[in-house]
């Protein structure tokens, strides 16, 4: 058997088309354009490339986009003042501070300074709390877990009553996706288990999973024989395992051996082209959502 491919690239395209229409309607009906600021501190090449893609996507959707680049010598106090400026700017609905930050700046302090109602990354403790409560409390879901859930829904995977096993317990992926899948609602109502480095029987847990979400950052951690035949496999791992001699680009591999796993799984995400492309789409969705909240609050 060969699994159906869940293409993040394709799903992202559909979501961005939907959002583009929403943005045009919002502008026509309310005169409001979603505003997103991306703050980049320093010159980390990977961060520069992520931020470029975020800006390009925002522009394509018709957002107001501000790219605020700061030297890596900026003080923590000045960065906090800058965030405060955008917190008070009514044309800005989303504030994103690209991580990592230089060592002399406390990430937590910076992320906590963002107005939770403009926190389109969904990293602020207030938004983590809202996620835990669920339902109408939720304003912004963190982008990678939101992208995973969207792929599960749009691939037609049944989640109600399903056994979901999440490999990895990070604050950005493992913990939030496990909570989201167990909530009441569409694409949820599942029984979730989080497994991690101290789990006694990793293999046994994985073998039970109707939906296996792997976010460990260890290439090939999940063995193909651990996959339940017909399961949906979501591979969040993006591991640089070498450099292509032909293109000079990084060779990326997931946490699952895709070629073997696709012969066992029912549905599977590739790496690259799986979860990765979804994250920016969900950031855009959160920014549109934030603009909608601002219109409702007028
Ligand atoms: N750095 C790498 N990924 C992310 C992300 O999703 N959000 C932010 N703010 N920084 C990142």
């Amino acid at each position: 058997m060969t699994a159906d491919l869940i293409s993040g690239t394709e799903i992202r395209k559909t979501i961005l088309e939907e959002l583009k229409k929403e943005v045009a309607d919002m502008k026509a009906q309310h005169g409001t354009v979603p505003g997103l600021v991306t703050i980049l501190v320093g010159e980390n090449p990977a961060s520069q490339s992520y931020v470029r893609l975020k800006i390009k996507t925002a522009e394509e959707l018709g957002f107001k986009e501000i790219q605020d680049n700061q030297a890596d010598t900026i003080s923590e106090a000045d960065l906090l003042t800058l965030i405060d400026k955008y917190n008070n700017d009514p044309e800005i609905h989303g504030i994103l501070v690209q991580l990592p930050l230089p060592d002399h700046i406390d990430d937590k302090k910076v992320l906590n300074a963002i107005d939770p109602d403009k926190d389109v990354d969904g990293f602020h403790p207030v938004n983590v709390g809202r996620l835990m409560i669920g339902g109408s409390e939720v304003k912004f879901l963190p982008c990678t877990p939101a992208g995973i859930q969207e792929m599960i829904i749009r691939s037609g995977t049944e989640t109600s009553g399903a056994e979901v096993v999440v490999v990895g317990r990070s604050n950005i992926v493992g913990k939030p996706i496990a909570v989201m899948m167990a909530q009441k609602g569409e694409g949820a109502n599942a029984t979730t288990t989080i497994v991690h480095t101290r789990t006694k029987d990793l293999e046994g847990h994985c073998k039970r999973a109707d939906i296996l979400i792997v976010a460990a950052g260890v290439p090939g951690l999940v063995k193909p024989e651990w996959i339940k035949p017909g399961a949906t496999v979501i591979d969040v791992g993006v591991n640089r395992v070498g450099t292509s001699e032909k293109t000079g680009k990084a060779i990326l591999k997931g946490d699952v051996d895709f070629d073997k796993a696709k012969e066992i799984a029912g549905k599977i995400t590739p790496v690259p082209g799986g979860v990765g492309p979804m994250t920016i789409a969900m950031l855009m969705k959160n920014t549109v959502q934030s603009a909608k909240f601002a219109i409702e609050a007028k």
Side-chain angles (χ1 to χ4, degrees), residues 148 151 212-220 222 232-239 253-258 261 268-271 273-276:
I148 293 170
M151 293 177 102
L212 184 59
I213 300 171
V214 193
V218 181
V222 169
T232 292
V233 177
I234 308 287
D235 189 349
V236 192
V238 182
N239 305 294
K253 286 250 185 265
D255 291 350
V256 180
D257 179 343
F258 178 80
I268 189 166
T269 62
V271 177
V275 176

Side-chain angles (χ1 to χ4, degrees), residues 38-44 47 51 68-80 82-83 96-114 121 123:
T38 44
I39 300 174
L40 173 64
V41 180
E43 293 180 357
N44 177 325
S47 292
V51 165
D68 195 330
N69 290 349
Q70 296 291 330
D72 62 4
T73 48
I74 189 173
S75 69
E76 188 179 275
D78 284 350
L79 186 56
L80 294 175
L82 187 66
I83 289 170
L96 181 138
V97 179
Q98 187 69 24
L99 301 175
L101 289 168
D103 289 345
H104 68 277
I105 298 175
D106 180 351
D107 292 14
K108 252 194 220 156
K109 233 186 194 170
V110 169
L111 295 180
N112 292 359
I114 297 172
D121 256 331
F123 291 165

Side-chain angles (χ1 to χ4, degrees), residues 21-264:
K21 186 170 178 312
E22 266 191 69
V23 172
D25 290 350
M26 186 185 285
K27 190 174 177 185
Q29 287 169 20
H30 302 280
T32 299
V33 171
L36 175 67
V37 59
T38 44
I39 300 174
L40 173 64
V41 180
E43 293 180 357
N44 177 325
S47 292
Q48 283 175 327
S49 127
Y50 284 135
V51 165
R52 253 197 310 274
L53 198 54
K54 287 170 187 174
I55 291 162
K56 184 169 161 272
T57 312
E59 284 174 354
E60 281 166 6
L61 295 184
F63 286 16
K64 172 189 165 98
E65 218 294 331
I66 297 176
Q67 182 186 4
D68 195 330
N69 290 349
Q70 296 291 330
D72 62 4
T73 48
I74 189 173
S75 69
E76 188 179 275
D78 284 350
L79 186 56
L80 294 175
T81 305
L82 187 66
I83 289 170
D84 201 45
K85 180 182 92 170
Y86 292 119
N87 279 343
N88 291 299
D89 182 341
E91 289 192 357
I92 291 298
H93 305 99
I95 302 171
L96 181 138
V97 179
Q98 187 69 24
L99 301 175
L101 289 168
D103 289 345
H104 68 277
I105 298 175
D106 180 351
D107 292 14
K108 252 194 220 156
K109 233 186 194 170
V110 169
L111 295 180
N112 292 359
I114 297 172
D115 178 347
D117 291 346
K118 296 190 178 189
D119 167 41
V120 285
D121 256 331
F123 291 165
H124 193 288
V126 166
N127 286 316
V128 177
R130 287 169 171 164
L131 177 151
M132 186 64 78
I133 296 166
S136 60
E137 281 295 318
V138 177
K139 287 214 160 170
F140 307 117
L141 292 170
C143 301
T144 301
I148 293 170
Q149 192 174 39
E150 198 74 42
M151 293 177 102
I152 291 172
I153 293 171
R154 292 189 191 228
S155 66
T157 300
E158 177 61 74
T159 60
S160 184
E163 291 286 340
V164 173
V165 174
V166 178
V167 184
R169 53 179 161 178
S170 70
N171 286 330
I172 291 179
V173 184
K175 281 194 261 182
I177 190 64
V179 170
M180 286 160 60
M181 296 305 295
Q183 300 280 24
K184 288 184 182 169
E186 192 198 3
N189 287 319
T191 304
T192 61
T193 307
I194 300 180
V195 298
H196 47 77
T197 44
R198 302 290 175 95
T199 296
K200 282 187 187 144
D201 183 14
L202 196 56
E203 176 176 349
H205 285 291
C206 290
K207 280 181 167 167
R208 280 192 299 105
D210 300 311
I211 301 173
L212 184 59
I213 300 171
V214 193
V218 181
L221 175 73
V222 169
K223 307 289 172 251
E225 58 273 21
W226 297 1
I227 295 168
K228 182 173 168 178
T232 292
V233 177
I234 308 287
D235 189 349
V236 192
V238 182
N239 305 294
R240 286 162 196 258
V241 294
T243 310
S244 162
E245 278 186 18
K246 242 192 198 164
T247 63
K249 285 190 180 168
I251 301 170
L252 301 178
K253 286 250 185 265
D255 291 350
V256 180
D257 179 343
F258 178 80
D259 289 332
K260 289 189 181 137
K262 77 177 188 333
E263 300 303 322
I264 303 164

